[in-house]
Amino acid sequence: MPSEPRATVLPSGLRAVIEEDRWAEGSYQLVVDGTPQSHVDLDDPSRLFFEYVQRIGHVIDEWGDPGQPLTALHLGAGALTLPRYIHTTRPGSRQQVIELDEALIGFVREHLPLPRNSGIRIRYGDARAMLARLPAALTGAVDVVVVDVFAGARIPAHVTSLEFYTELAAFLSPRGIVAVNIADGPGLAFARSQAATLGTVFEDVAALAETGVLKGRRFGNVVLVAANSALPLEWMPRLMARGPHPATVTSGRDLRNWIAGAPIVTDQTAVPSPTPNRTLFATKRGD
């Protein structure tokens, strides 16, 4: 039988719950304000559950040689799923995590503790404001940046702009990549505008998503991958083959056609991502 969920009310007034996954022993889900935020397999942190997290994990796998340590920067922490993944799959990696909600991380670490000597350093504060306070040695030295910043179920406006991504680009190593989790609904106006903005800052951009989402049929997650140099073309078929399926990876001319004149976002024009329908995260009772 699954254990009773652990719950707390955060200083923001939001309710955070850690509940055991009844279908996967040793796995837990973090839910904040009714929105699933993270899924962690404590027995095997290399197992990723959420569809968009798997896609980001596959992108991380493509960097360098398998198992090679890397330097990672995570904006947004949740239950620290991807930092745990990198620690497990690339031992010896150096990781910096920026998270606004210190109480949430305290709650997570109490019930889903990090492994000892994980090399994961957590800094508390606003994701964008904290960039200026990171060690100078990280400038031009970060191999993987993961941007997964949410306030509730929406991405805050100030981490979606040209100015924000320009600040972020300065941290990338010559082979560094940025993976951005975007949540959007039918039409994908927000996601396409984010791709256009990233394409202004970085040399190359690709979009990964479930096929129906990328075609704008329903609300879901689009992972945008960007780099200061051309993304290796051999990544694209491998990323598509690794799924989750059905998968679409769009780059080059196809991506430019997908963007289709979407506006570039600046600090003056930025808005939060669309609010998902609450029924999107509803679960059946008694099953």
Side-chain angles (χ1 to χ4, degrees):
M1 290 289 293
S3 60
E4 287 297 316
R6 293 91 160 187
T8 189
V9 177
L10 302 171
S12 62
L14 300 180
R15 185 171 185 266
V17 178
I18 292 174
E19 53 192 22
E20 190 173 351
D21 186 337
R22 68 177 74 178
W23 308 115
E25 186 176 355
S27 295
Y28 299 86
Q29 180 169 261
L30 171 67
V31 180
V32 179
D33 194 30
T35 301
Q37 295 280 339
S38 300
H39 187 281
V40 173
D41 187 330
L42 289 183
D43 294 336
D44 183 4
S46 69
R47 289 184 60 200
L48 301 176
F49 181 80
F50 289 170
E51 174 259 348
Y52 81 88
V53 178
Q54 291 181 46
R55 298 192 195 283
I56 295 176
H58 295 332
V59 170
I60 293 170
D61 292 343
E62 291 294 336
W63 183 90
D65 296 324
Q68 178 184 352
L70 51 73
T71 299
L73 172 61
H74 305 262
L75 306 189
L80 300 159
T81 303
L82 284 169
R84 298 173 199 264
Y85 179 80
I86 290 174
H87 169 70
T88 300
T89 61
R90 293 176 176 269
S93 293
R94 298 183 304 160
Q95 302 191 72
Q96 299 271 340
V97 178
I98 299 177
E99 169 58 45
L100 179 64
D101 198 330
E102 186 171 357
L104 176 63
I105 297 304
F107 175 63
V108 166
R109 296 186 70 174
E110 177 184 358
H111 298 290
L112 305 175
L114 287 171
R116 292 185 177 183
N117 303 316
S118 65
I120 299 169
R121 169 72 186 275
I122 302 175
R123 300 173 183 272
Y124 297 106
D126 176 81
R128 182 168 176 180
M130 289 296 293
L131 292 179
R133 300 176 61 181
L134 289 173
L138 287 178
T139 301
V142 177
D143 302 309
V144 174
V145 178
V146 177
V147 183
D148 192 14
V149 180
F150 280 77
R154 304 181 74 185
I155 303 169
H158 70 295
V159 292
T160 67
S161 69
L162 176 74
E163 293 86 349
F164 165 70
Y165 289 126
T166 300
E167 293 176 42
L168 206 58
F171 288 94
L172 282 191
S173 67
R175 294 191 301 154
I177 53 175
V178 177
V180 185
N181 175 33
I182 302 295
D184 201 2
L188 295 176
F190 183 85
R192 292 188 296 106
S193 191
Q194 285 298 287
T197 305
L198 283 163
T200 302
V201 176
F202 297 94
E203 180 177 330
D204 203 3
V205 180
L208 297 73
E210 189 272 329
T211 302
V213 171
L214 205 62
K215 290 184 177 180
R217 294 172 180 166
R218 62 177 180 83
F219 199 100
N221 296 85
V222 177
V223 174
L224 298 176
V225 183
N228 284 331
S229 57
L231 291 166
L233 293 177
E234 66 271 17
W235 284 23
M236 304 310 163
R238 291 206 297 256
L239 289 171
M240 187 178 295
R242 296 187 69 178
H245 299 290
T248 296
V249 179
T250 301
S251 61
R253 179 179 297 178
D254 290 340
L255 183 74
R256 291 191 292 272
N257 292 337
W258 181 73
I259 291 171
I264 295 166
V265 178
T266 67
D267 281 342
Q268 288 69 42
T269 62
V271 296
S273 64
T275 303
N277 190 311
R278 298 290 291 188
T279 60
L280 183 67
F281 306 114
T283 58
K284 296 180 181 179
R285 301 294 180 185
D287 56 2

